[in-house]
Amino acid sequence: FSRGLAEVLPIEALCLFTPHELEVLICGEAEIDIKLLQQATVYEDVDPNAPHVQYFWQALEEMTQEQLARFINFVCARSRLPSSVDKFPMSFKIQSAGSVKEGQDDMALPKSQTCFFSLALPKYSSKEICLSKLLYAADNCNTMEDYDEHEAGAFA
């Protein structure tokens, strides 16, 4: 580990940081800050004041830190956020779910594109439905971490 780290950071510089500071620099904050995520969010083909978008933010507020980490993993294949808005490599994008049939939004699951840090959010009719669908998707999705080396060969 230290040899690899020494390739990108002078080992002598490590003494400048506490273990916690170094962890935050490398991994990001362990606690998911929803307000920070909101600041880093852009909206595509969806009104940020629309009821289903407000249900989304309310649903996140009800999640535990463990559930939030799984949600973040669902949308960006990481379990932590950067420590500030300026350190996000790209904005979090909330998009219209698009092709959901009229009146079927409450049956649809949200979809994510981890490479683009985006979420296609159906027009859920309540915070409770939104929360349940977000948790189901986050708990049952396959991410890059779910593939072993043999399965990864299929992507080469």
Side-chain angles (χ1 to χ4, degrees), residues 24-98:
V24 170
L25 283 171
I26 294 172
C27 303
E29 288 286 350
E31 186 170 317
I32 305 297
D33 181 347
I34 297 168
K35 299 291 184 214
L36 177 65
L37 183 61
Q38 282 180 303
Q39 293 170 11
T41 300
V42 296
Y43 301 88
E44 184 176 284
D45 297 326
V46 64
D47 179 356
N49 298 309
H52 71 292
V53 175
Q54 296 307 305
Y55 298 148
F56 166 76
W57 292 114
Q58 292 167 13
L60 290 190
E61 291 285 349
E62 289 200 7
M63 290 183 188
T64 65
Q65 282 297 311
E66 184 177 304
Q67 291 168 328
L68 284 167
R70 288 195 307 269
F71 169 75
I72 295 300
N73 187 53
F74 171 63
V75 294
C76 72
R78 296 183 51 161
S79 60
R80 296 183 180 200
L81 294 176
S83 56
S84 64
V85 172
D86 60 316
K87 292 187 176 156
F88 276 70
M90 66 183 76
S91 296
F92 174 50
K93 186 186 303 181
I94 297 178
Q95 304 170 292
S96 166

Side-chain angles (χ1 to χ4, degrees), residues 100-117:
V100 176
K101 291 183 182 177
E102 187 72 31
Q104 297 295 311
D105 287 284
D106 285 347
M107 306 290 254
L109 289 170
K111 296 178 184 171
S112 68
Q113 292 181 317
T114 56
C115 292
F116 301 105
F117 196 16

